[in-house]
């Protein structure tokens, strides 16, 4: 992937409403990765467990896009909007979204 001026690293750190280590937590993380990574414009999807003591979020998702157009396509993709409406809004307690460019 060429990391030129259009490249975007989209990341979100979050805490779930589920009990830590629960089946519901595991299912959310696995479903999120499976669904969001399957969107054609998403590249390099990663799911992370946050370990810094400097904040109180628990997990992170990160993915790359080659351009703003791809990022916009992701945001409006049916799989993304359904995941947000059906899972994210119901299961995420709090989150912080960060998008980077080089």
């Amino acid at each position: 992937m060429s990391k030129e001026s259009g490249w975007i690293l989209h990341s979100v750190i979050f805490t779930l409403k589920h009990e830590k280590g629960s089946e519901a937590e595991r299912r959310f993380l696995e479903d999120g990765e499976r669904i969001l990574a399957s969107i054609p414009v998403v590249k390099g999807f990663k799911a992370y467990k946050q370990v810094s003591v400097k904040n109180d979020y628990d997990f992170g998702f990160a993915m790359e896009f080659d351009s703003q157009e791809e990022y916009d396509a992701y945001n409006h993709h049916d799989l993304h909007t359904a995941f947000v409406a059906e899972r994210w809004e119901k299961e995420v307690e709090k989150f912080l979204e960060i998008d980077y460019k080089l």
Side-chain angles (χ1 to χ4, degrees):
M1 169 185 317
S2 173
K3 293 183 179 167
E4 298 175 5
S5 62
W7 177 86
I8 296 171
L9 173 63
H10 170 64
S11 62
V12 60
I13 56 173
F14 57 94
T15 297
L16 295 172
K17 295 177 182 177
H18 305 302
E19 182 177 330
K20 295 197 187 323
S22 67
E23 176 66 19
E25 178 187 82
R26 183 193 63 74
R27 204 169 39 250
F28 179 90
L29 297 170
E30 288 180 0
D31 290 349
E33 183 168 5
R34 178 180 49 79
I35 293 165
L36 300 176
S38 74
I39 298 172
V41 294
V42 171
K43 295 167 187 73
F45 184 97
K46 301 280 190 223
Y48 297 100
K49 180 172 171 116
Q50 197 292 120
V51 297
S52 172
V53 297
K54 296 180 181 179
N55 75 66
D56 57 356
Y57 295 97
D58 295 323
F59 301 101
F61 287 163
M63 62 202 80
E64 298 179 34
F65 301 95
D66 286 335
S67 66
Q68 184 66 50
E69 293 76 22
E70 285 189 358
Y71 180 60
D72 293 342
Y74 161 79
N75 274 322
H76 296 98
H77 194 280
D78 289 345
L79 290 173
H80 176 255
T81 58
F83 182 77
V84 169
E86 297 167 13
R87 302 294 299 277
W88 189 269
E89 291 176 356
K90 296 174 183 174
E91 299 179 57
V92 172
E93 182 176 309
K94 62 183 177 175
F95 72 95
L96 175 63
E97 185 173 308
I98 304 170
D99 296 323
Y100 299 101
K101 285 188 164 222
L102 291 175

